Amino acid sequence: MQFIPLILLSLLSLTSALPTGISPSSLLPENLSLIPRACATTCGSNCYTSAQISSALSAGCNYVTQGSTAGSSTYPHVYNNYEGFGFSVSGPYYEFPILRSGVYSGGSPGADRIIFNKSCKIAGEITHTGASGNNFVGCTGTS
């Protein structure tokens, strides 16, 4: 893993000498999965950064504050915590989809959710991935 920063540093030093029409990104290794990502949480196989979580929280909280929902969906809506997660903030809780790309605005919500309270304090992240029926299991860091 130590060779990757050296490769990237070498590539960056070459970018100033690149001919017109060649982008620096075309020089990067095709398999960037070797470079570790900063996952704030992982839901199933989905890695979410703190920025993605923050964006979902901000959007969900704005909808709750305005008393509205994303598009013609029902999100955010009250989350009853039937699974009994030990959240560190008090309810009532709301659930809102987390997406791998962008912020949820309606349509299919996917499997992953952020849970927050009316004060817009994050309670945790949960997913349908790996759960039976319509239940949820905790993403990393939520139990």
Side-chain angles (χ1 to χ4, degrees):
M1 286 296 211
Q2 295 176 357
F3 67 92
I4 291 177
L6 183 57
I7 291 170
L8 293 176
L9 181 60
S10 298
L11 290 174
L12 288 174
S13 66
L14 292 174
T15 58
S16 61
L18 286 177
T20 305
I22 296 180
S23 71
S25 63
S26 68
L27 300 175
L28 292 174
E30 288 184 34
N31 185 358
L32 291 178
S33 64
L34 295 175
I35 299 172
R37 295 182 288 177
C39 300
T41 192
T42 303
C43 302
S45 61
N46 294 330
C47 164
Y48 294 103
T49 65
S50 57
Q52 289 169 305
I53 292 170
S54 178
S55 293
L57 174 63
S58 178
C61 195
N62 283 339
Y63 286 119
V64 168
T65 302
Q66 295 170 6
S68 62
T69 59
S72 60
S73 77
T74 64
Y75 294 101
H77 57 244
V78 171
Y79 173 69
N80 292 306
N81 197 16
Y82 294 129
E83 293 83 1
F85 293 108
F87 298 131
S88 61
V89 298
S90 60
Y93 302 111
Y94 296 89
E95 71 175 274
F96 191 73
I98 309 173
L99 302 179
R100 292 178 69 189
S101 177
V103 176
Y104 180 77
S105 60
S108 175
D112 307 331
R113 307 284 187 276
I114 186 168
I115 306 299
F116 59 96
N117 67 10
K118 193 159 186 125
S119 300
C120 299
K121 302 290 183 193
I122 190 164
E125 300 84 20
I126 59 176
T127 182
H128 285 300
T129 303
S132 60
N134 200 31
N135 293 324
F136 288 102
V137 294
C139 300
T140 56
T142 301
S143 53

